[in-house]
Amino acid sequence: QLQLVESGGGLVQPGGSLRLSCAASGSTLDYYAIGWFRQAPGKEREGVSCISSSGRSTNYRDSVKGRFTISRDNAKNTVYLQMNSLKPEDTAVYYCAPVSGISACWAVIGSWGQGTQVTVSS
């Protein structure tokens, strides 16, 4: 059974960068499209980005396009989210999860990880 663990969050100033990792265990990541999601205090969880199982296709929500980059290394069983030019409104707990596919980016088909906190503040 696929289990995912997020890491890499932290406190960063506006304009800074972080790279989040989503490491898989229990199953190979090769078969799964993976999505990154986030949940800010008092708000619903929202999709941020997703990547196809091959890594050849990606998708982003409008507010992060040009700032965030999703990638994967199937040999390391890990998906990454490089976040640049961070803004205070990016503050949230970030989660990864397996999703139905690149055409259904936000359709989660497995279990959530525990999340990693990202705080953007001066």
Side-chain angles (χ1 to χ4, degrees):
Q1 183 177 356
L2 182 68
Q3 293 181 320
L4 302 175
V5 176
E6 305 91 340
S7 63
L11 173 64
V12 63
Q13 292 186 342
S17 298
L18 284 173
R19 189 177 80 155
L20 306 184
S21 298
C22 171
S25 63
S27 179
T28 180
L29 206 54
D30 298 24
Y31 306 125
Y32 297 94
I34 299 294
W36 279 100
F37 300 78
R38 65 187 180 188
Q39 187 167 20
K43 295 188 177 181
E44 292 189 355
R45 196 173 304 192
E46 63 183 16
V48 175
S49 180
C50 71
I51 188 166
S52 63
S53 57
S54 67
R56 286 192 288 267
S57 298
T58 59
N59 203 350
Y60 299 90
R61 71 178 299 108
D62 287 346
S63 62
V64 307
K65 284 180 181 176
R67 300 189 297 122
F68 290 11
T69 303
I70 191 170
S71 63
R72 66 191 298 156
D73 185 341
N74 284 345
K76 294 183 177 180
N77 241 13
T78 303
V79 172
Y80 304 98
L81 185 68
Q82 177 68 43
M83 306 187 297
N84 298 329
S85 302
L86 282 161
K87 304 175 180 180
E89 51 263 44
D90 295 317
T91 295
V93 178
Y94 283 70
Y95 302 87
C96 61
V99 296
S100 181
I102 197 67
S103 59
C105 249
W106 316 137
V108 175
I109 60 171
S111 301
W112 296 99
Q114 85 289 347
T116 186
Q117 175 71 47
V118 171
T119 302
V120 185
S121 175
S122 55

